Amino acid sequence: MTLKTNLRKYRFLKDEMTQKQLADLVKVSRQTIHAIERGKFNPSVRLALLIAQVFQSPVEDIFYLE
Amino acid sequence: MTLKTNLRKYRFLKDEMTQKQLADLVKVSRQTIHAIERGKFNPSVRLALLIAQVFQSPVEDIFYLE
DNA sequence: ACATAAAGTAAATAATAAATGACATAATGT
DNA sequence: ACATTATGTCATTTATTATTTACTTTATGT
């Protein structure tokens, strides 16, 4: 059961938001957003909730298990 | 924006499941479940998704920001 | 009253998320 | 061609999650 994400897709859907813009909104570094997009790690549920809020979508739509 | 949870409520709703049973289902230690219930920490979104699956509920119903 | 299971808690350690700084490459605009 | 912005990537450090062991306290049952 490994974590997958389509954060990248969501980021482009939402006004072509940049990694930096998203990072600023949820108050993490740009590298953190990058690492999450690349599946390098498994963010906290708090961060996932913040990201989901930005995209006004359920956490499950952005992060899922496979 | 701090993380809150009602994992405990969900655990009791679901067949009075014990911390240990839940821990075994999602493959973490009992102390990890305990710490999450007590708001001691902010689990990974992977773990949150596994827990949400157990309760067949959206992550947002079990974990939320306040 | 006693035994047992469940839950609370705490300290030490391991594993991993996240920050920071630095530099390279790709893309976009003028 | 040049400047600028966005993204990729790496190495180091710091913060936090999660494990493990161990012991205490609180139910629950007989």
Side-chain angles (χ1 to χ4, degrees):
Chain A
M1 283 298 224
T2 127
L3 185 75
K4 301 281 177 178
T5 185
N6 32 46
L7 177 53
R8 202 180 190 77
K9 289 178 202 156
Y10 273 81
R11 190 163 56 79
F12 285 116
L13 284 176
K14 188 76 171 184
D15 305 324
E16 300 261 317
M17 181 182 285
T18 67
Q19 291 178 345
K20 178 77 166 61
Q21 288 172 330
L22 177 56
D24 290 346
L25 278 175
V26 299
K27 301 202 173 64
V28 294
S29 67
R30 177 181 66 81
Q31 285 83 346
T32 293
I33 298 299
H34 178 255
I36 293 169
E37 284 189 0
R38 303 287 297 197
K40 290 273 181 177
F41 60 66
N42 179 12
S44 68
V45 68
R46 179 172 177 280
L47 180 50
L49 285 166
L50 286 170
I51 291 172
Q53 262 182 15
V54 168
F55 299 113
Q56 296 166 66
S57 302
V59 169
E60 283 86 350
D61 285 5
I62 303 174
F63 298 100
Y64 56 96
L65 299 172
E66 226 172 47
Chain B
M1 283 298 221
T2 128
L3 184 76
K4 300 282 177 178
T5 185
N6 32 48
L7 177 53
R8 202 180 190 75
K9 289 179 203 159
Y10 274 81
R11 190 163 57 80
F12 285 115
L13 284 176
K14 187 78 171 184
D15 304 324
E16 300 261 316
M17 182 182 284
T18 68
Q19 292 178 344
K20 178 75 166 61
Q21 289 172 328
L22 177 56
D24 289 346
L25 278 175
V26 300
K27 301 203 173 63
V28 295
S29 67
R30 178 180 66 81
Q31 285 81 348
T32 293
I33 298 299
H34 179 255
I36 294 169
E37 284 190 0
R38 303 286 297 198
K40 291 272 181 176
F41 58 65
N42 180 11
S44 67
V45 67
R46 179 171 177 281
L47 180 50
L49 285 166
L50 286 170
I51 291 172
Q53 263 183 12
V54 168
F55 299 112
Q56 297 166 64
S57 303
V59 169
E60 284 86 350
D61 285 6
I62 304 174
F63 299 100
Y64 55 96
L65 299 172
E66 226 172 47

